[in-house]
Amino acid sequence: MPTTLTLAVMASLFLPVQAVRQPPTAPPQKLNAVLCKSEVQAIALARSMASGKTEPIAINAVNKAAGAEVCGRYIGYAAVEVEKTTNDHGGLFMLAGLRFAEDAALAWTASWFAPFEGANLERGA
């Protein structure tokens, strides 16, 4: 297991999830990504894509479950405002909250990072 992954997993075990806020002066950057309205929806999308579903099918599944269009592709300018790591039902996810330049709305994207099955660490390792 790579050192950074081991450290991320260990930190998530002992430390409460803390959001890392970027300075408000971070300039918006050109973005072409799938974004969702909430963290939970972004995690559901990432989990669906990690299970092998294609992007359009995963987006459709999350939107149907929510009963509205909550996830979709966004092309435009946004700045990263929040970054955090969270454990959800056995998976480690990297979340990012992006603030749109046009209307200042906040949207979320998530990446499945690793399955989380607890710490299988040996003493002295």
Side-chain angles (χ1 to χ4, degrees):
M1 183 179 294
T3 305
T4 54
L5 177 58
T6 303
L7 292 175
V9 170
M10 291 304 297
S12 68
L13 289 174
F14 300 113
L15 301 174
V17 175
Q18 297 277 331
V20 177
R21 295 202 179 268
Q22 296 286 359
T25 58
Q29 296 182 359
K30 182 81 170 162
L31 183 69
N32 181 359
V34 175
L35 301 176
C36 298
K37 291 186 178 182
S38 73
E39 296 175 45
V40 173
Q41 294 156 346
I43 289 172
L45 179 70
R47 184 180 305 284
S48 183
M49 290 181 65
S51 72
K53 292 183 181 171
T54 63
E55 184 179 286
I57 291 172
I59 291 170
N60 191 35
V62 173
N63 288 343
K64 278 186 178 180
E69 190 172 333
V70 294
C71 293
R73 178 146 302 272
Y74 173 75
I75 299 171
Y77 287 88
V80 175
E81 185 174 298
V82 179
E83 291 180 316
K84 63 183 178 178
T85 305
T86 187
N87 296 321
D88 184 69
H89 300 288
L92 186 62
F93 294 89
M94 304 293 288
L95 289 160
L98 298 140
R99 184 74 61 186
F100 296 137
E102 293 85 17
D103 60 0
L106 186 66
W108 292 91
T109 185
S111 299
W112 178 79
F113 193 59
F116 185 76
E117 299 170 358
N120 294 327
L121 302 175
E122 299 175 16
R123 285 192 176 251

